[in-house]
Amino acid sequence: APAADDAAAGNPPTVVRANPAVIGYRGGPAGKGSKAIPKATAFRMSGDYARNVAITLAADGTVQSYPAPTDITPSSAPVELDGGWWLDRRGVTDRSVFTRYTLQEYAALKEAPTPAELLAAVIPGARVTAVMKLPVTTREALADTAAVNSYIATHALGAKVP
């Protein structure tokens, strides 16, 4: 698959920004306590890593962020969409990579592994290959995955598709 070949070659993931990350506002009138509503994210991976814990690396390759074991619940697992896309429910980015830890194993840990242990657990070549911000919230995306699939199918031009 081309995405797996790109990952093996060390090519950076394609980031598809069909819409800004924040499209709407809720709250009072503009300037009066309005809050931005975070939009959902869809992503693709270089392989079948949906059941593995993702961590995010900084530009220099160090660990930038990782979940606490208590952050990993059934409701934080990604949701499969069409065409190799997944609905993110935990916060992956274009710099996310996947570890050997399964979601179930990680959630059972008493404490998070150290950053060094997490780096050692990264699966070679296992990474996010494309990211797309969606024009709906995660809750709205979960309620109508058919609409999300349709949106992705018409807006994913330019994404690396395996």
Side-chain angles (χ1 to χ4, degrees):
D5 293 341
D6 288 341
N11 294 333
T14 298
V15 179
V16 179
R17 288 183 176 34
N19 283 305
V22 177
I23 295 174
Y25 292 90
R26 284 199 185 142
K32 302 281 186 191
S34 296
K35 293 192 282 187
I37 304 167
K39 298 302 176 182
T41 300
F43 68 97
R44 296 188 78 160
M45 302 171 278
S46 60
D48 185 13
Y49 306 112
R51 301 294 166 239
N52 294 81
V53 172
I55 62 172
T56 300
L57 302 180
D60 65 2
T62 59
V63 176
Q64 181 176 9
S65 69
Y66 58 94
T70 54
D71 291 338
I72 304 299
T73 66
S75 65
S76 67
V79 174
E80 188 170 10
L81 299 168
D82 290 345
W85 289 92
W86 293 80
L87 179 63
D88 178 40
R89 297 197 294 172
R90 220 214 51 78
V92 300
T93 73
D94 57 339
R95 290 195 324 254
S96 292
V97 296
F98 297 92
T99 66
R100 289 184 178 86
Y101 292 101
T102 66
L103 298 173
Q104 186 176 6
E105 291 168 340
Y106 198 88
L109 296 175
K110 298 278 186 231
E111 60 185 40
T114 66
E117 291 170 328
L118 289 168
L119 279 175
V122 170
I123 302 167
R127 63 186 184 85
V128 169
T129 59
V131 175
M132 177 187 285
K133 289 294 182 182
L134 302 172
V136 295
T137 66
T138 300
R139 182 178 296 209
E140 291 165 336
L142 286 168
D144 193 353
T145 57
V148 172
N149 286 326
S150 177
Y151 180 85
I152 291 171
T154 59
H155 290 85
L157 296 176
K160 291 183 181 179
V161 180

